[in-house]
Amino acid sequence: MNMGSRHAFSMPFGAELIAGGVCFRIWAPSVSNMVLRLENGLTSDFCMQRSEDGWHELNLASSSPGDHYRFLLPDGLLVPDPASRFNPSDVHGASEVIDPGAFEWTDDIWLGRPWEQAVIYELHVGTFSVAGNFAGVEARLDYLVELGVTALEIMPVADFPGRRNWGYDGVLPFAPDASYGRPEDFKHLINAAHERGLMVILDVVYNHFGPEGNYLFCYCQEFFNSRHHTQWGSAINFDGPKSRTARDFFICNALYWIEEYRLDGLRLDAIHAIFDNNSPDIVEEIRDAIQTGPGRERYVHLILENDKNQAHYLESRSWQHGLRVGGVAQWNDDLHHALHVITTHEIDGYYADYATDPIMALTRCLAEGFAFQGEPSPFRGGAKRGEPSGHLPPTAFINFLQTHDQIGNRAFGERLCQLVSPAALEAVTAILLLAPQPPLIFMGEEFATHQPFLFFCDFNADLAQAVTDGRRREFAKFAKFIDPATRECIPDPNATSTFATSKLDWTLLNREPHSTMHALYRRLLTLRQHEIVPRLTGMSHLTGNTTVSHITPKILRLRWKLGDDSELELLANLGMEQAVEVMPECGRMLFATSNMEKAQPNYLPPWSAIWQLTDAVL
């Protein structure tokens, strides 16, 4: 019988198994002494040895996996391990000693997938299934494969306060939240995904800790830099005195998830909110550590969220022949915003930057990557935003119509299908799923669920009320929420019903119009897999390979030269009126929106899109 392999990442932080016991280490330079307390029914205290640089360490022969422990500060406060691998009783409770090598992996032949094959499905573990846990996601893996997905992008699972949260309020970045399951449950999900050919990418937050349960301030003030201020208080210390340990903490976290959990990549949340004036900065250090470490043996990818559109982060490195090169890509908010303005005509907030000519902004995204490549942003007070991006390949830009942010940051969490016509939705879906850039789908989008995805959390009483009040104040600047009574209708983030309302209803798959939309996604993703993906390899840049042959305020026409010298052409009418346009004459039809079936020759109906492919001449 072929036994599975075991994977463990050795860290200088936390509880590490050693021969004959456990080594406990914590960096607490702000306190003079630290006591380890074991809490296994009876409590036992053990003094730790402090070094001059602020590390507290203890090798304990009587400890073993399954032990619960906390650290006792001189003032009597008990705190969990900041590098805890698991906190079964939430962020204020004891940490558990975990044997990372106890799980047997059966995916040894898995080396990942090239980034050109990426079709990304973003999901929230707690609302994706009725069970709301890792097992609930695993139960739907076959469905995702049949849909045409190749990569799961899982919203943050790092331990957060309470029973429900989007995940961006995590305070124990090494510990999967207990509401989703134990560490071995997450590993079982990843192993099962690999067995089905699915990549798994985890969303991680390195720009802040959540507002409840972060005890680092109590014993490690050096972990924060008061020179930089954020909405959460002092920034994480990536560039001040004694910053090396904080930098290593997050580099270790990135490598830990990839090596110990065999993840295929990470999405770094909001790197524009990271303050780091070093060179290389922490994002570059993490990228290099991944690419020169686990990325030398298998495909490992890095996704960035970056409002600054800093294209230099996305530039590939040259590696020696034979090494697998993971992708570095960014969520392309510009493309989403342009499409949102085109389809909904909403121009509040950051959408105002795209109101003047959204078709031009969309075209630039498809042809060059970013819409803003150094131009001033009126929404940001005229500040210049972005860097030139046309030299990058299309795989550097992740396109999407919906994400947790773009739905959940609306007051009532409306989906796009509730805001636009079915014809408009079909047209922009066809653009999303067949363009050379990797597409991202947010859970439920593929069957046009009408269920909202709301902002939810589960904080302590005082903080909960502050979050609820703050959420409603945020919308006071919008015209439709000027009336206080209207703002009071915004769902309370801390209410259990807000979370329950956001859970997907999978029975919708068997009803119209949901089944028709699901069939459209399957058809388009099948076309992408068979016709587009095999031709993307070798398409090293957008500029020079993309031609904008025609554009009006409502019509766009683009042609991409793909990696095998074939040509992919898009012709679309994204307006509400019929247009006269010469149809493509060469190439074979890949897809046309359903309203083209009854269209007159050389007429583009409102909200129509045509894709054609011209094979390379041999």
Side-chain angles (χ1 to χ4, degrees):
M1 179 178 178
N2 183 28
M3 298 297 291
S5 60
R6 301 169 189 269
H7 297 272
F9 179 68
S10 180
M11 297 187 294
F13 308 92
E16 293 287 303
L17 300 185
I18 58 174
V22 179
C23 175
F24 297 91
R25 295 192 85 221
I26 182 171
W27 191 51
S30 301
V31 297
S32 59
N33 62 80
M34 185 80 83
V35 172
L36 172 74
R37 173 168 290 180
L38 292 186
E39 302 178 5
N40 299 321
L42 299 176
T43 60
S44 304
D45 290 349
F46 303 87
C47 292
M48 303 181 75
Q49 183 70 36
R50 188 188 193 279
S51 63
E52 291 185 1
D53 55 3
W55 284 94
H56 300 250
E57 182 173 343
L58 173 67
N59 292 342
L60 192 60
S62 60
S63 183
S64 60
D67 282 354
H68 290 186
Y69 68 99
R70 282 188 285 184
F71 298 109
L72 179 63
L73 304 185
D75 63 1
L77 180 66
L78 279 168
V79 299
D81 186 349
S84 168
R85 280 179 163 89
F86 188 52
N87 254 50
S89 299
D90 207 16
V91 298
H92 302 292
S95 303
E96 181 179 324
V97 177
I98 295 294
D99 178 4
F103 184 82
E104 293 189 6
W105 296 82
T106 60
D107 66 344
D108 281 355
I109 63 172
W110 175 256
L111 297 175
R113 299 182 69 147
W115 189 237
E116 290 85 354
Q117 299 176 7
V119 173
I120 308 158
Y121 190 94
E122 188 194 16
L123 64 87
H124 178 269
V125 174
T127 55
F128 180 70
S129 70
V130 174
N133 55 22
F134 294 127
V137 177
E138 186 174 337
R140 290 276 175 186
L141 292 180
D142 290 334
Y143 160 84
L144 294 172
V145 172
E146 292 170 3
L147 177 64
V149 168
T150 63
L152 308 187
E153 185 177 309
I154 298 178
M155 289 172 65
V157 302
D159 207 350
F160 49 77
R163 297 158 294 175
R164 52 193 180 273
N165 196 283
W166 274 16
Y168 300 94
D169 294 311
V171 292
L172 298 176
F174 293 83
D177 195 88
S179 65
Y180 298 154
R182 292 183 57 82
E184 54 266 30
D185 297 321
F186 191 23
K187 293 175 182 179
H188 199 277
L189 164 61
I190 298 165
N191 191 78
H194 290 170
E195 290 176 343
R196 291 162 173 81
L198 288 168
M199 297 183 281
V200 184
I201 295 167
L202 180 64
D203 201 341
V204 293
V205 183
Y206 295 159
N207 54 66
H208 77 286
F209 290 95
E212 180 188 340
N214 174 24
Y215 291 97
L216 281 164
F217 283 104
C218 302
Y219 56 85
C220 190
Q221 296 174 18
E222 290 82 352
F223 214 92
F224 302 92
N225 188 343
S226 59
R227 289 192 301 110
H228 303 305
H229 297 283
T230 75
Q231 65 187 89
W232 305 280
S234 296
I236 294 170
N237 183 17
F238 288 124
D239 63 357
K242 300 183 180 180
S243 62
R244 185 67 257 171
T245 304
R247 294 173 75 89
D248 288 343
F249 184 84
F250 289 100
I251 292 170
C252 280
N253 185 259
L255 294 174
Y256 160 83
W257 286 118
I258 291 169
E259 296 196 7
E260 196 159 299
Y261 282 79
R262 289 185 54 75
L263 285 164
D264 301 281
L266 301 173
R267 173 194 177 265
L268 272 56
D269 176 68
I271 66 167
H272 54 266
I274 292 175
F275 293 89
D276 185 1
N277 294 318
N278 287 335
S279 182
D281 64 26
I282 187 62
V283 174
E284 293 167 323
E285 273 206 61
I286 289 171
R287 179 197 63 192
D288 293 349
I290 290 172
Q291 291 182 337
T292 59
R296 295 178 66 88
E297 300 174 353
R298 56 188 174 97
Y299 293 107
V300 181
H301 310 294
L302 193 62
I303 297 173
L304 306 179
E305 181 192 21
N306 187 4
D307 184 67
K308 294 180 180 179
N309 282 3
Q310 293 165 301
H312 70 270
Y313 282 121
L314 308 177
E315 294 170 357
S316 299
R317 291 185 165 223
S318 298
W319 297 100
Q320 294 180 2
H321 179 71
L323 295 180
R324 294 175 177 81
V325 179
V328 181
Q330 179 175 317
W331 275 21
N332 197 350
D333 284 335
D334 282 354
L335 181 128
H336 168 272
H337 298 346
L339 278 173
H340 192 85
V341 171
I342 290 167
T343 54
T344 69
H345 308 293
E346 294 180 350
I347 56 172
D348 285 330
Y350 46 66
Y351 292 130
D353 278 358
Y354 307 82
T356 303
D357 195 345
I359 290 287
M360 180 63 76
L362 170 63
T363 302
R364 195 178 198 199
C365 288
L366 292 170
E368 301 178 28
F370 296 135
F372 280 84
Q373 301 180 31
E375 293 78 15
S377 162
F379 173 71
R380 296 162 181 81
K384 292 184 178 181
R385 174 174 175 247
E387 298 172 353
S389 58
H391 63 291
L392 296 169
T395 49
F397 307 93
I398 297 172
N399 291 344
F400 51 87
L401 301 176
Q402 303 177 73
T403 66
H404 72 274
D405 272 331
Q406 304 305 336
I407 301 170
N409 286 334
R410 301 180 67 87
F412 297 105
E414 304 100 324
R415 303 281 188 140
L416 190 61
C417 64
Q418 298 169 285
L419 304 175
V420 306
S421 69
L425 191 59
E426 181 185 10
V428 295
T429 297
I431 292 173
L432 170 72
L433 298 184
L434 295 183
Q437 293 86 348
L440 178 142
I441 303 163
F442 183 68
M443 62 176 197
E445 169 189 334
E446 75 278 12
F447 56 91
T449 183
H450 53 252
Q451 292 175 277
F453 184 75
L454 298 163
F455 176 66
F456 49 80
C457 51
D458 184 22
F459 292 130
N460 65 56
D462 292 339
L463 181 57
Q465 189 59 52
V467 169
T468 299
D469 294 342
R471 172 90 172 155
R472 290 170 177 167
R473 280 196 305 271
E474 285 179 9
F475 289 98
K477 58 188 175 184
F478 294 98
K480 65 174 69 174
F481 295 106
I482 291 177
D483 184 357
T486 304
R487 293 200 298 274
E488 287 299 312
C489 295
I490 296 174
D492 180 357
N494 289 278
T496 304
S497 58
T498 302
F499 173 70
T501 301
S502 301
K503 279 183 175 279
L504 286 183
D505 179 2
W506 288 97
T507 66
L508 295 178
L509 272 173
N510 301 319
R511 309 179 207 166
E512 289 293 350
H514 310 288
S515 56
T516 295
M517 180 57 73
H518 181 247
L520 174 67
Y521 269 74
R522 288 190 62 176
R523 178 187 173 194
L524 289 168
L525 290 177
T526 298
L527 281 171
R528 181 179 189 85
Q529 178 182 358
H530 293 295
E531 299 284 0
I532 309 298
V533 168
R535 306 169 189 273
L536 294 177
T537 302
M539 192 177 177
S540 59
H541 50 85
L542 282 164
T543 301
N545 286 325
T546 311
T547 303
V548 181
S549 56
H550 184 67
I551 185 170
T552 73
K554 298 299 180 183
I555 296 174
L556 63 100
R557 192 169 195 160
L558 290 94
R559 180 177 296 173
W560 293 267
K561 185 177 182 181
L562 304 182
D564 65 347
D565 289 334
S566 61
E567 293 189 346
L568 179 68
E569 184 171 359
L570 166 65
L571 175 61
N573 176 7
L574 299 182
M576 301 179 68
E577 297 179 358
Q578 181 173 258
V580 179
E581 181 62 32
V582 177
M583 299 293 126
E585 296 181 356
C586 57
R588 52 193 173 88
M589 182 77 70
L590 285 184
F591 178 83
T593 47
S594 56
N595 55 11
M596 289 299 301
E597 294 178 3
K598 298 180 180 179
Q600 301 175 15
N602 292 333
Y603 276 84
L604 282 175
W607 301 113
S608 55
I610 299 171
W611 284 97
Q612 286 201 340
L613 182 67
T614 303
D615 293 317
V617 178
L618 299 178

